[in-house]
Amino acid sequence: MSNQWLEWAQRIQALSQSGLTFSKDVYDIERYEELRRISVEIMAEYTELEMDKVRDLFANESGYQTPKVDVRGVVFKNDQILMVKENIDDKWALPGGFCDIGLSPSENVVKEIKEESGFNVLPIRLIALLDKNKHPHPPEPYHYYKIFILCEIIGGKPTLGIETNNIQFFSENNLPELSTNRNTESQIKTLFEFLRNPTKETIFD
């Protein structure tokens, strides 16, 4: 579950970003910039990120801040789930990533699965919409919503993408070392419940 300091830092960052977007008064702008600096210091103190890195991340943000959206493809074959090994940390995750502007969630997941695994898929249904802060992910500067979409393979073949170095299917009781920034063991095990019970209701939060 999220640590309280992380929630405070994210809220301070969101308030400062909104203030910098809408404020016209020079003194108010200075105050909001100071709030942003405080949020950067908190993040740098409690995470493995360097202060300059956090500052650069926040400085690239503008406008009213809202949660970022991450989409993950859930693909089963022979009672096993498709996962790809990420180059960035050499750990395993469901294929997926940030949603691109101009594409719907289902279009995004089709694109991500093709790029990261080589498979062509058909989106079947939304099975989970989760708030990352409510799950045991490592602390991160941003607030994320995670969309999990059940998909069916309709073609293609295993093909490495530029962000992946391995592709495999795993059983529920033989999961690899997970990239916990992207998915947790409890989430993967919950997804297997939809394999056993196809009529299970979509879960959220």
Side-chain angles (χ1 to χ4, degrees), residues 88-170:
I88 194 169
D89 59 6
D90 212 33
K91 298 177 183 178
W92 294 84
L94 300 173
F98 285 132
C99 284
D100 292 329
I101 292 173
L103 296 179
S104 71
S106 62
E107 291 169 338
N108 267 284
V109 81
V110 169
K111 177 182 74 73
E112 291 288 342
I113 293 173
K114 179 63 174 178
E115 290 177 351
E116 295 188 355
S117 74
F119 289 112
N120 300 319
V121 299
L122 178 68
I124 302 299
R125 59 173 292 210
L126 171 68
I127 57 177
L129 176 56
L130 304 181
D131 182 338
K132 193 171 184 179
N133 283 354
K134 295 181 180 295
H135 296 265
H137 296 277
E140 287 196 78
Y142 296 125
H143 187 185
Y144 295 86
Y145 288 166
K146 299 184 68 64
I147 300 174
F148 295 84
I149 298 178
L150 181 65
C151 299
E152 177 183 325
I153 294 175
I154 57 174
K157 62 180 180 180
T159 306
L160 295 178
I162 60 174
E163 298 177 354
T164 58
N165 61 64
N166 204 342
I167 304 161
Q168 289 189 43
F169 287 84
F170 294 93

